[in-house]
Amino acid sequence: MRKKIVAGNWKMNKTLSEANTLLAELDSYVKTNNPKCEVVVGIPYLYLANAKEKYENLNIYAEDVSEHQSGAYTGEISAEMLKSIQVDGAIIGHSERRQYHKETDEQIGAKVKIALENGLTPIFCNGELLEERKSGKHFEVVKKQTEVALFQLSPEEIKKVVIAYEPVWAIGTGETATPEQAQEIHAYIRSLIAEKYGKEIADEISILYGGSVKPANAKEIFSKPDVDGGLIGGASLNIKDFGALIQTYSDL
Ligand code: PEP
């Protein structure tokens, strides 16, 4: 059985005291409710070390990582630094990084590789823009993103990657892909991996859906056979919604 994951992505939100409050609530939620899915939170770099020290029931992820080993890259954080404070993984190639920081598929691939080399789990994000969906290019776009970033990896490496399919038109917009649209493209991504690495490996890889997932729409999406959980932005910022999403998974 592949891993089922509910992952939050806080983006650039929360002061230290707000972060501590939500992490404490979430940690205690997980401890008390023993969910059937893995619970991940992607949080700003600034709070990672403290979170790793205090909250042992959570998987703590960075929201990005540098593609470089070390050196003169002002403002960057390396995979080795993240590992040195026991961070569990990193979200890589989020559409906001692609859009605002012009990250390329090659760069994203280098980030995935260096994360794996340092024992971090990468959540690799892919997904098409609205105009690409409208012109029927979504399969092609997702194929290229996935092939360029991931198909350099060995079979042993790709098994450790988590994929998050996030149609850009659904992120933070209140619009979601229909459960059928999500299933269709998740199955397609899995078939690409199967073609390259074989069915056994493809069946082991968790593929999360992201894009305006809320307690009201999660059950239908999470129930689809190739959807292994969610990457959640807005609804991960309060315990009521995020707890409800974790519970939705546990109740399936
Ligand atoms: C995200 O940031 O990855 C995301 C899916 O955001 P939201 O849930 O707010 O659409």
Side-chain angles (χ1 to χ4, degrees):
M1 268 293 275
R2 53 184 173 258
K3 233 188 264 172
K4 307 296 180 184
I5 302 166
V6 172
N9 173 18
W10 286 8
K11 315 190 185 189
M12 197 174 73
N13 289 297
K14 307 280 178 201
T15 61
L16 177 62
S17 67
E18 291 165 350
N20 276 334
T21 302
L22 181 51
L23 287 167
E25 288 170 338
L26 195 53
D27 189 68
S28 121
Y29 181 93
V30 173
K31 193 170 176 197
T32 314
N33 294 285
N34 197 19
K36 293 203 187 103
C37 55
E38 196 172 288
V39 176
V40 166
V41 266
I43 63 176
Y45 285 134
L46 204 54
Y47 308 141
L48 289 168
N50 181 38
K52 273 309 298 180
E53 270 175 28
K54 281 202 193 141
Y55 308 110
E56 58 185 26
N57 298 292
L58 303 174
N59 293 284
I60 305 288
Y61 278 43
E63 298 176 13
D64 184 32
V65 65
S66 171
E67 71 264 39
H68 303 291
Q69 186 72 41
S70 63
Y73 301 102
T74 303
E76 292 286 281
I77 301 288
S78 73
E80 194 181 26
M81 290 173 186
L82 294 176
K83 198 60 204 171
S84 74
I85 56 166
Q86 281 91 47
V87 164
D88 300 291
I91 298 168
I92 295 177
H94 191 278
S95 66
E96 288 149 17
R97 304 276 331 159
R98 292 175 187 263
Q99 184 183 350
Y100 305 131
H101 301 271
K102 306 288 173 247
E103 289 191 8
T104 63
D105 292 327
E106 288 77 8
Q107 236 179 322
I108 292 164
K111 291 181 178 207
V112 168
K113 180 89 179 166
I114 204 160
L116 289 167
E117 284 168 358
N118 285 278
L120 302 170
T121 300
I123 297 184
F124 160 74
C125 305
N126 58 15
E128 79 285 355
L129 304 170
L130 183 59
E131 53 273 27
E132 293 165 338
R133 165 68 63 166
K134 279 190 174 156
S135 57
K137 294 212 176 96
H138 45 295
F139 291 110
E140 196 185 307
V141 169
V142 166
K143 181 172 194 258
K144 177 173 174 277
Q145 291 170 336
T146 306
E147 284 180 351
V148 175
L150 299 188
F151 287 7
Q152 42 137 356
L153 301 174
S154 70
E156 277 317 302
E157 286 174 325
I158 199 155
K159 275 190 208 171
K160 297 179 187 145
V161 174
V162 173
I163 297 174
Y165 166 67
E166 301 204 298
V168 180
W169 47 273
I171 298 180
T173 59
E175 246 191 86
T176 35
T178 64
E180 291 69 31
Q181 285 173 322
Q183 169 57 27
E184 182 185 41
I185 202 142
H186 281 227
Y188 174 69
I189 293 168
R190 203 178 300 289
S191 77
L192 292 175
I193 296 165
E195 261 171 50
K196 168 83 179 166
Y197 294 96
K199 185 170 180 327
E200 208 176 304
I201 288 183
D203 282 343
E204 272 185 51
I205 294 181
S206 303
I207 307 179
L208 315 183
Y209 170 79
S212 298
V213 177
K214 306 262 177 313
N217 59 24
K219 187 172 175 208
E220 272 195 297
I221 296 173
F222 289 172
S223 307
K224 292 292 177 192
D226 284 290
V227 177
D228 304 307
L231 180 56
I232 321 289
S236 72
L237 295 174
N238 68 81
I239 189 64
K240 186 165 165 281
D241 286 345
F242 201 53
L245 290 171
I246 297 166
Q247 194 56 44
T248 302
Y249 225 113
S250 297
D251 291 343
L252 283 184

